[in-house]
């Protein structure tokens, strides 16, 4: 019976008595929730989400569910289209929309376009992960990004009350750094690469990536000559990647000494009326493919291409800057946090090892050159005069004046002649030998007790 006291009929078609009773129980629960005006329990919502569209339409005709529960977006392909459309409407970055479309391709390829999203379980999400890293042969971080976007999409479905829970909620989607793909590009190698660049813009582009630490190509597309402050030797960098964080939409980077000649060369070669530093990238945008051309330049320089071409140039600069400047300064110039720098950019180089094995300088070296005040040979020989003579010599030299003052202050306290340590019992050594291997030990113990 409906809320108005009218009898409604739901035809299930050909089915078993047990299945019909199961549907009847849930229908009665839906009626009770409607009468009490309370939300449906989670198990009832999961049952509704797993129902085919035909059955949902019957429940809608009986007034048991709202129209939103029977909308066509409950199928995977249709829902993903409706999820991506707002990003297009607000003019999201092209690369963002491309990544979302790629995530949709993976999901539809595995589950099928007509799969009801309410029927996808946490077990299905595990199978999807195994498929990405197995038959699909994606790298670990690429698979994690794909699962992260799937979790983002299904979270929207949960918030829209289309499904009760997110099947991808428990998957690990955080990107982990891969130390095997980190390569420090030395100054000698990057000099060879810059010398083989075909023109002035490419020389500036490579130098900005290696010595400026800019993200390529997103942070050089919008770089203008008005952003370069020649008088104060610094320039403004706009960061599309971090602009959604408060205060991270741009940063000030110094014109390092390594960058100055390439900046000046590019400014002199710029055409009259050019406002952009790289006008040839304006039409391509942040999605410009610079990798193919850069690979040819590296091959011309006689070098083997390293992984993550532009990222490792930024990583090399991050490693150099933190060795010379405080961490917060280096992070401010490169536009990332200390945690991100430690996790993804900074490396241990051969120069660090070479610096560690060199002869120490400064106070450590001076301390290493201070001779021992009391020689072991003098203690073993029991020659107190020798010890006193060494002490007097040390007091005459300037570097031992501090030691002499401290020694005199201890003498003024009238310490006991036996010393601070308790004497060693000679009986533990046994009877005193006349001439044996233990005679030297006896001599040391006697002198120590004195």
């Amino acid at each position: 019976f409906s809320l108005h006291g009218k009898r409604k009929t739901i035809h299930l078609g050909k089915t078993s008595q047990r299945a019909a009773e199961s549907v009847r129980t849930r229908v009665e629960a839906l009626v009770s929730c409607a009468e009490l005006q309370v939300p449906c329990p989670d198990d009832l919502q999961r049952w509704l989400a797993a129902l085919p569209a035909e059955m949902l339409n019957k429940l809608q005709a009986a007034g048991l569910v709202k129209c939103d529960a029977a909308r066509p977006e409950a199928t995977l392909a249709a829902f993903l289209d409706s999820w991506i459309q707002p990003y297009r409407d607000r003019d999201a970055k092209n690369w963002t929309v491309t990544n979302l479309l790629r995530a949709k391709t993976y999901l539809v390829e595995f589950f099928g376009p007509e799969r009801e999203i309410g029927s996808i379980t946490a077990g299905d999400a595990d199978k999807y992960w195994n498929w990405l890293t197995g038959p699909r042969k994606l790298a670990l971080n690429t698979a994690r990004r794909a699962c992260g976007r799937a979790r983002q999409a299904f979270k929207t479905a949960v918030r829209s009350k289309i499904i009760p829970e997110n099947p991808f909620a428990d998957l690990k989607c955080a990107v982990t750094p891969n130390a095997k793909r980190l390569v420090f590009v030395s100054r000698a190698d990057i000099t060879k690469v810059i010398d083989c660049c075909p023109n002035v813009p490419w020389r500036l582009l490579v130098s900005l990536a290696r010595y400026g630490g800019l993200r390529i190509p997103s942070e050089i597309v919008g770089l203008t000559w008005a952003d370069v402050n020649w008088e104060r030797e610094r320039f403004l960098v706009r960061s599309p990647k971090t602009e959604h964080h408060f205060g991270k939409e741009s940063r000030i980077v110094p014109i390092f000494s390594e960058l100055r000649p390439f900046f000046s060369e590019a400014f002199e070669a710029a055409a009259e009326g050019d406002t952009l530093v790289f006008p040839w990238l304006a039409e391509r945008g942040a999605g410009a493919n610079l990798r193919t051309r850069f690979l040819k330049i590296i091959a011309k320089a006689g070098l083997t291409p390293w992984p993550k071409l532009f990222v490792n140039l930024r990583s090399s600069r991050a490693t150099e800057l933190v060795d010379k400047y405080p961490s917060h300064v280096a992070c401010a110039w490169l536009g990332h946090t200390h945690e991100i720098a430690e996790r993804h950019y900074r490396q241990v180089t051969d120069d660090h090892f070479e610096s560690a094995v060199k002869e120490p300088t400064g106070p450590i070296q001076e301390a290493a050159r201070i001779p021992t005040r009391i020689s072991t040979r003098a203690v073993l020989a029991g020659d107190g005069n020798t010890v006193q003579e060494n002490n007097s010599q040390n007091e005459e030299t300037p570097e031992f004046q501090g030691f002499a003052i401290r020694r005199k202050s201890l003498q003024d306290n009238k310490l006991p002649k036996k010393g601070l340590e308790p004497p060693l019992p000679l009986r533990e050594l046994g009877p005193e030998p006349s001439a044996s291997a233990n005679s030297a030990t006896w001599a040391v113990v006697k002198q120590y007790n004195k």
Side-chain angles (χ1 to χ4, degrees), residues 76 80 98-113 127-129 131-133 136-139 141-150 168:
L76 183 61
L80 293 176
T98 301
N99 288 331
L100 297 181
L101 290 174
R102 185 177 292 115
K104 174 194 171 183
T105 301
Y106 294 149
L107 288 168
V108 171
E109 184 178 349
F110 181 76
F111 291 108
K127 295 176 182 177
Y128 176 67
W129 165 260
W131 175 77
L132 289 176
T133 55
R136 203 60 176 79
K137 297 181 180 180
L138 297 184
N141 282 336
T142 306
R144 289 194 171 192
R145 288 185 184 276
C147 287
R149 295 184 181 102
F168 294 87

Side-chain angles (χ1 to χ4, degrees), residues 251-362:
R251 66 183 186 274
I252 302 296
V253 181
I255 302 178
F256 297 99
S257 58
E258 301 93 340
L259 283 176
R260 190 178 299 110
F262 301 105
F263 255 126
S264 301
E265 182 186 25
F267 183 72
E268 294 175 359
E272 185 177 356
D274 282 347
T275 58
L276 294 175
V277 178
F278 299 96
W280 53 283
L281 287 177
E283 297 180 357
R284 305 181 188 181
N289 181 17
L290 303 175
R291 175 182 173 84
T292 303
R293 187 67 178 273
F294 195 35
L295 285 173
K296 294 180 180 179
I297 296 174
I298 295 175
K300 184 179 179 181
L303 301 175
T304 302
W306 51 85
K308 301 164 62 175
L309 294 178
F310 293 107
V311 174
N312 272 317
L313 295 183
R314 177 177 166 85
S315 172
S316 302
R317 191 54 172 170
T319 303
E320 285 182 347
L321 289 180
V322 80
D323 290 340
K324 189 175 181 180
Y325 302 97
S327 177
H328 71 281
V329 175
C331 291
W333 288 344
L334 295 181
H336 52 222
T337 62
H338 175 79
E339 292 75 13
I340 292 297
E342 291 290 338
R343 186 177 177 86
H344 295 283
Y345 291 115
R346 295 172 185 171
Q347 308 177 40
V348 179
T349 66
D350 292 338
D351 291 341
H352 293 143
F353 285 94
E354 293 176 4
S355 177
V357 299
K358 287 181 179 178
E359 183 179 0
T361 58

Side-chain angles (χ1 to χ4, degrees), residues 142-162:
T142 306
R144 289 194 171 192
R145 288 185 184 276
C147 287
R149 295 184 181 102
R151 182 170 65 181
Q152 179 184 354
F154 278 75
K155 182 179 179 181
T156 303
V158 173
R159 296 175 63 87
S160 301
K161 305 297 183 182
I162 301 176

Side-chain angles (χ1 to χ4, degrees), residues 76-321:
L76 183 61
F79 166 74
L80 293 176
D81 287 336
S82 64
W83 171 61
I84 297 174
Q85 188 59 41
Y87 291 91
R88 290 173 169 170
D89 295 340
R90 65 170 180 257
D91 295 331
K93 300 179 181 65
N94 293 334
W95 196 246
T96 300
V97 177
T98 301
N99 288 331
L100 297 181
L101 290 174
R102 185 177 292 115
K104 174 194 171 183
T105 301
Y106 294 149
L107 288 168
V108 171
E109 184 178 349
F110 181 76
F111 291 108
E114 300 301 325
R115 177 74 177 266
E116 297 285 339
I117 62 173
S119 63
I120 298 176
T121 63
D124 294 329
D126 293 334
K127 295 176 182 177
Y128 176 67
W129 165 260
N130 295 331
W131 175 77
L132 289 176
T133 55
R136 203 60 176 79
K137 297 181 180 180
L138 297 184
L140 178 62
N141 282 336
T142 306
R144 289 194 171 192
R145 288 185 184 276
C147 287
R149 295 184 181 102
R151 182 170 65 181
Q152 179 184 354
F154 278 75
K155 182 179 179 181
T156 303
V158 173
R159 296 175 63 87
S160 301
K161 305 297 183 182
I162 301 176
I163 56 176
E165 59 183 6
N166 191 343
F168 294 87
D170 295 332
L171 288 184
K172 293 182 179 180
C173 304
V175 177
T176 57
N178 187 356
K180 296 180 180 179
R181 301 193 68 193
L182 284 179
V183 176
F184 184 84
V185 183
S186 65
R187 290 172 174 257
D189 289 344
I190 205 62
T191 300
K192 296 178 182 179
V193 173
I194 293 176
D195 292 340
C196 293
C197 288
N199 50 39
V200 174
W202 262 100
R203 285 196 288 271
L204 177 60
L205 188 152
V206 176
S207 62
L208 284 174
R210 176 58 178 83
Y211 296 120
L214 271 65
R215 299 179 178 94
I216 306 295
S218 63
E219 292 184 346
I220 65 171
V221 171
L223 187 63
T224 65
W225 290 116
D227 297 330
V228 182
N229 190 332
W230 299 100
E231 182 180 356
R232 303 188 66 185
E233 295 187 325
R234 58 191 66 180
F235 62 102
L236 175 69
V237 176
R238 296 177 180 83
S239 179
K241 183 175 182 179
T242 60
E243 65 182 2
H244 58 283
H245 297 291
F246 179 75
K248 299 295 184 179
E249 62 277 357
S250 63
R251 66 183 186 274
I252 302 296
V253 181
I255 302 178
F256 297 99
S257 58
E258 301 93 340
L259 283 176
R260 190 178 299 110
F262 301 105
F263 255 126
S264 301
E265 182 186 25
F267 183 72
E268 294 175 359
E272 185 177 356
D274 282 347
T275 58
L276 294 175
V277 178
F278 299 96
W280 53 283
L281 287 177
E283 297 180 357
R284 305 181 188 181
N289 181 17
L290 303 175
R291 175 182 173 84
T292 303
R293 187 67 178 273
F294 195 35
L295 285 173
K296 294 180 180 179
I297 296 174
I298 295 175
K300 184 179 179 181
L303 301 175
T304 302
W306 51 85
K308 301 164 62 175
L309 294 178
F310 293 107
V311 174
N312 272 317
L313 295 183
R314 177 177 166 85
S315 172
S316 302
R317 191 54 172 170
T319 303
E320 285 182 347
L321 289 180

Side-chain angles (χ1 to χ4, degrees), residues 333-396:
W333 288 344
L334 295 181
H336 52 222
T337 62
H338 175 79
E339 292 75 13
I340 292 297
E342 291 290 338
R343 186 177 177 86
H344 295 283
Y345 291 115
R346 295 172 185 171
Q347 308 177 40
V348 179
T349 66
D350 292 338
D351 291 341
H352 293 143
F353 285 94
E354 293 176 4
S355 177
V357 299
K358 287 181 179 178
E359 183 179 0
T361 58
I364 298 179
Q365 185 181 19
E366 295 297 329
R369 293 194 293 107
I370 298 177
T372 306
R373 296 181 64 235
I374 303 177
S375 64
T376 306
R377 181 176 298 178
V379 174
L380 293 177
D383 189 358
N385 296 329
T386 302
V387 174
Q388 184 64 29
E389 182 180 356
N390 290 339
N391 292 337
S392 62
Q393 292 177 358
N394 293 339
E395 292 173 5
E396 293 176 0

